[in-house]
Amino acid sequence: MSATPTLTERAGALFHRYANPGRFLRLGVKLQPWLTWPALILSLTGLVWGLFFSPADWQQGDSVRIMYVHVPCAWLASSGYFALAVCSVLSLVWRHPLADLAAVEIGPVGACITATCLATGSLWGKPMWGTWWVWDARLTSVLVLFFLYLGHIALIRAFDDPQRGYRAAAILALAGAVDLPIIKFSVQWWNTLHQPDSIGLRGAPTMSHAMLWPLLVCTLGFTLGFAAIVVARLRAGVMESRIRSLLSGQHRGEPSPADGTPVGEYAA
Amino acid sequence: MTHLPYIIASYGLAFGLALFLSVGAALRLRRDRARLAALECARGRRDRVTRRGETA
């Protein structure tokens, strides 16, 4: 047998480095302001830029300004679910304890973002298409994503044993990941009312740079905001699991912590 | 500005969501931090008493 660690072992070691909740909390405290303040500044700059300084569309008029909210939400709805799927792999393959907690915290935030994406899409659709909703491939696949988020949240809470809930939700998240390419390519595979992608990896964007820049600033700001909220919720989730373990230790009359973490390590 | 009600509703939704999620997370963090500090303080006191009892 070779003594050299395989790629899987090395990746596992890297992920387990932050499996220690105390270590993650210290990292989270340092990371929080670096996510929160840039998110706030970039989101506000992008939204004000998009609302007041970017040009109106020659066809859609000012309603195109809804794009600065709708597109970042759509991007986050998909990438949030991708993060959920990654957490599920980490949980199922490496049994990473923080991956389960991260999935618990990403789910509700992703569901709220997806709901906002659908709502802002409707608000954009009404003046442009003349209807709030159509059973179009893109819209329907995003609605399915919203239900996948809700299913994930419900499944985690459906079991008395949280570990069983985490496993079941991780499997649902992985199976549901098949919806992500369907969302992405729905406008190419089917004849949809939704417009095709304006920004792609291949080829130049099909929108004016005066609209592209505020959109990119908004997207970056929203993404950092999503990360900031998830990190804050995850820190709270780690503390709550610590509180539960301390309370159950008190009930059993244990004098020392179950994970050997010194007193004050978490509350710092 | 054309379609102003739709634009205001979209931006309002985004601000409302951001406010709801961020304030919720901040309050939850504050509550958990205070609760954990109180519990760890109580546990520290209990451990010291136990150790003193063992050495006596």
Side-chain angles (χ1 to χ4, degrees):
Chain A
M1 259 177 74
S2 165
T4 318
T6 63
L7 187 67
T8 318
E9 284 167 345
R10 267 186 284 175
L14 177 73
F15 293 129
H16 275 101
R17 193 177 146 72
Y18 291 101
N20 180 311
R23 188 178 282 166
F24 169 78
L25 281 184
R26 282 193 298 277
L27 176 76
V29 168
K30 282 183 198 157
L31 212 59
Q32 197 72 67
W34 291 99
L35 292 171
T36 308
W37 290 109
L40 208 63
I41 292 164
L42 287 171
S43 299
L44 284 177
T45 308
L47 289 176
V48 169
W49 190 352
L51 196 55
F52 299 111
F53 302 104
S54 75
D57 187 68
W58 70 279
Q59 267 183 323
Q60 300 188 30
D62 285 307
S63 74
V64 77
R65 298 183 200 283
I66 296 173
M67 170 180 76
Y68 303 109
V69 176
H70 175 71
V71 173
C73 285
W75 149 256
L76 278 177
S78 290
S79 48
Y81 197 86
F82 181 74
L84 205 61
V86 170
C87 287
S88 303
V89 172
L90 290 178
S91 165
L92 292 171
V93 177
W94 286 289
R95 303 247 159 195
H96 196 294
L98 279 182
D100 290 326
L101 283 179
V104 171
E105 301 305 337
I106 289 171
V109 183
C112 287
I113 291 276
T114 312
T116 310
C117 167
L118 289 166
T120 52
S122 276
L123 286 164
W124 197 1
K126 179 65 181 163
M128 290 303 103
W129 302 336
T131 178
W132 296 103
W133 182 265
V134 279
W135 292 101
D136 168 272
R138 172 61 70 88
L139 276 70
T140 309
S141 53
V142 175
L143 184 66
V144 169
L145 185 74
F146 178 60
F147 289 138
L148 282 168
Y149 272 121
L150 293 186
H152 186 269
I153 297 166
L155 207 50
I156 282 180
R157 295 168 188 196
F159 295 88
D160 287 333
D161 175 14
Q163 291 303 321
R164 285 184 67 197
Y166 295 151
R167 293 287 93 77
I171 292 165
L172 173 74
L174 277 181
V178 77
D179 192 35
L180 297 180
I182 295 176
I183 293 173
K184 169 82 181 99
F185 296 109
S186 56
V187 286
Q188 295 168 24
W189 291 344
W190 292 286
N191 191 13
T192 64
L193 197 55
H194 194 284
Q195 66 176 64
D197 294 336
S198 305
I199 308 165
L201 291 175
R202 294 177 203 166
T206 54
M207 71 166 74
S208 152
H209 280 246
M211 292 176 177
L212 182 66
W213 279 110
L215 180 62
L216 291 178
V217 171
C218 274
T219 306
L220 186 61
F222 276 46
T223 307
L224 289 174
F226 183 89
I229 288 167
V230 169
V231 166
R233 288 176 63 103
L234 188 50
R235 283 170 59 203
V238 170
M239 285 188 205
E240 281 160 14
S241 80
R242 175 67 176 165
I243 289 168
R244 276 193 298 274
S245 107
L246 277 174
L247 286 175
S248 63
Q250 260 180 12
H251 285 305
R252 289 194 304 267
E254 286 172 3
S256 54
D259 61 358
T261 311
V263 174
E265 185 85 342
Y266 286 81
Chain B
M1 205 179 261
T2 58
H3 309 112
L4 195 59
Y6 298 102
I7 300 168
I8 290 173
S10 299
Y11 279 62
L13 256 176
F15 276 116
L17 174 82
L19 208 65
F20 168 71
L21 288 174
S22 53
V23 170
L27 288 178
R28 194 175 146 198
L29 255 180
R30 210 172 86 169
R31 188 196 61 204
D32 290 343
R33 206 181 288 138
R35 212 165 151 217
L36 190 58
L39 274 171
E40 294 210 317
C41 190
R43 197 195 65 192
R45 264 202 308 271
R46 211 179 58 224
D47 281 0
R48 274 198 298 277
V49 170
T50 313
R51 259 182 249 125
R52 228 177 279 152
E54 280 168 3
T55 47

